Amino acid sequence: MKESDSNPQIGQVVSINKGRDTGQFAIVIQLIDERFVLIADGDKRKFDRPKKKNIQHLECCDYISPEVRSSMLDTGKVTNGKLRWALGKFMDDVLELQKGDEFDGEGRCN
């Protein structure tokens, strides 16, 4: 399994590859330093209690939610509803890509 070599950005969807939440998706809400980010999904991991994650344990997807990104850059916060909505939109897009065999079908991003 390939570890992520790209630096995550605020609002980017990531696939969790290590730990209790393996196989789930979340959104980067803060860059701590070159090794760590804070992620949240708006459901299990709310905005006010994000998970600190090593970026080597994440796989960055080629999807950045413009709504989450602009909200974070403008106000420094985002609603849990917007995080859930952005992940739902991402999953809809992934399911469309899965039909075209651009997605590996195992909850990982290509």
Side-chain angles (χ1 to χ4, degrees), residues 18-38:
K18 300 270 191 209
R20 180 180 302 181
D21 299 327
T22 298
Q24 295 181 12
F25 293 99
I27 297 178
V28 175
I29 59 169
Q30 184 180 341
L31 307 174
I32 297 174
D33 56 28
E34 66 277 351
R35 288 188 57 209
F36 293 98
V37 295
L38 293 180

Side-chain angles (χ1 to χ4, degrees), residues 6-90:
S6 65
N7 290 328
Q9 299 179 37
I10 291 175
Q12 187 166 20
V13 175
V14 293
S15 173
I16 302 169
N17 293 332
K18 300 270 191 209
R20 180 180 302 181
D21 299 327
T22 298
Q24 295 181 12
F25 293 99
I27 297 178
V28 175
I29 59 169
Q30 184 180 341
L31 307 174
I32 297 174
D33 56 28
E34 66 277 351
R35 288 188 57 209
F36 293 98
V37 295
L38 293 180
I39 60 171
D41 63 10
D43 184 26
K44 183 179 172 192
R45 248 325 144 182
K46 306 256 193 237
F47 173 77
D48 56 347
R49 305 251 328 159
K51 175 72 177 168
K52 181 180 176 183
K53 207 73 174 144
N54 186 326
I55 62 170
Q56 292 183 341
H57 299 167
L58 302 171
E59 185 171 351
C60 296
C61 300
D62 291 332
Y63 185 90
I64 297 174
S65 170
E67 296 84 5
V68 172
R69 182 170 176 78
S70 66
S71 181
M72 286 300 299
L73 294 177
D74 292 345
T75 65
K77 57 186 174 182
V78 66
T79 64
N80 291 315
K82 192 175 282 189
L83 289 171
R84 289 190 303 269
W85 179 84
L87 283 173
K89 184 176 185 308
F90 167 74

